[in-house]
Amino acid sequence: MVALSLKICVRQCNVVKTMQFEPSTAVYDACRIIRERVPEAQTGQASDYGLFLSDEDPRKGIWLESGRTLDYYMLRNGDILEYKKKQRPQKIKMLDGAVKTIMVDDSKTVGELLVTICSRI
């Protein structure tokens, strides 16, 4: 099998590295390899980070699921993957006007986010 050459963009410091992966590599293992080989990616907890495949339309990108392999996403040589934090603060305005801030996981579906948000309010 031919190695897959991907550009990995570490979002927090805008570093781009070209890395080789086997297409059968699990996304979880790809994240581990990135953390090992890219010093800028070694901040925070590994579980807080993931790989994001962006699109020209900012609303159409997808998070790669850690249990899937890279070839599942039909990636091609030269594709750019962002290694970035999945967690972000989300402000929610309550009916009484109060604003609550909750950390949400951007890699979850809207349905999963609603369960998380409702359970924390």
Side-chain angles (χ1 to χ4, degrees):
M1 224 180 235
V2 179
L4 188 60
S5 178
L6 299 172
K7 291 181 181 173
I8 306 299
C9 177
V10 180
R11 254 302 145 224
Q12 66 216 22
C13 50
N14 286 328
V15 171
V16 178
K17 303 267 184 186
T18 301
M19 298 179 70
Q20 303 281 328
F21 296 96
E22 289 296 320
S24 60
T25 303
V27 171
Y28 174 84
D29 292 328
C31 287
R32 183 181 46 78
I33 292 166
I34 292 166
R35 282 183 74 84
E36 289 171 1
R37 295 189 188 162
V38 182
E40 295 86 358
Q42 296 171 1
T43 59
Q45 295 289 320
S47 60
D48 290 344
Y49 289 83
L51 289 174
F52 184 76
L53 178 59
S54 58
D55 192 81
E56 289 83 31
D57 182 347
R59 297 171 293 180
K60 290 188 179 175
I62 59 166
W63 284 93
L64 277 55
E65 295 177 37
S66 60
R68 301 238 188 236
T69 60
L70 294 174
D71 59 356
Y72 173 83
Y73 294 99
M74 294 184 276
L75 298 170
R76 296 180 307 274
N77 285 329
D79 279 353
I80 300 172
L81 292 177
E82 296 178 25
Y83 179 80
K84 65 181 190 175
K85 227 175 183 175
K86 296 186 284 186
Q87 303 283 328
R88 69 172 173 84
Q90 175 69 53
K91 292 185 186 273
I92 299 166
K93 189 170 187 175
M94 308 303 287
L95 289 173
D96 65 359
V99 176
K100 295 191 177 202
T101 303
I102 297 174
M103 291 301 284
V104 295
D105 186 338
D106 271 342
S107 67
K108 302 290 185 201
T109 64
V110 172
E112 292 169 323
L113 286 178
L114 281 174
V115 171
T116 302
I117 291 168
C118 292
S119 66
R120 292 188 184 162
I121 291 180

